[in-house]
Amino acid sequence: MSGPEQPGRPSPRRIAEVDAFVQRIARWAADRADIVGLLLVGSFARDAAGPDSDVDIVLLTTDKPRYLDGAWAVDLRPGRLVRTRSWGPITELRYATASGLEVEMGIGSPGWAATDPVDPGTHRVVTDGARVLHDPAGVLAELLAACRAEGRRRS
């Protein structure tokens, strides 16, 4: 992407950096049988990112302990690990790149995407913006549909 920088929007260079990372992680996830879902969430998913927005990814796996130390991410080049924090069913691994981009990887089990009922925290994350990157069994498609249906019932 090229062109002038728009106020309140990420630079074309930042958008290219984010797009490259999202494509890289989607290809990476497709080669791993234990990854049941990969979801881009937040401002980049809803096309509302600002210049300082981070990249938010939810990775659902049947082998969560394998991903909690961050060593698996070396091939993805998300930067250096700066924080690990537990948010109930999701463990956040936050990375910072040399360019200043932050990548938040939320690691969870497939139960995070349960739809009967949808967990309120999961619902909040999904309805704030979500784009499916990898969903071999349709778990995330089912979750997004359940959140949309719940939103219609509430309206």
Side-chain angles (χ1 to χ4, degrees), residues 26-27 31 35 37 44 47 53 59 64 81 89 102 104 127 143:
R27 283 191 309 273
D31 291 336
I35 298 183
F44 276 101
D47 196 27
S53 292
L59 183 150
K64 185 177 174 182
L81 183 62
E102 291 196 3
E104 179 182 312
T127 58
L143 173 62

Side-chain angles (χ1 to χ4, degrees), residues 29-59:
D31 291 336
R32 284 157 180 78
D34 66 303
I35 298 183
V36 298
L38 190 65
L39 195 62
L40 176 66
V41 297
S43 61
F44 276 101
R46 66 178 183 274
D47 196 27
D52 297 326
S53 292
D54 63 352
V55 178
D56 300 295
I57 302 281
V58 175
L59 183 150

Side-chain angles (χ1 to χ4, degrees), residues 35-37 134-142:
I35 298 183
V36 298
H134 177 68
D135 190 21
V139 170
L140 295 174
E142 188 176 320

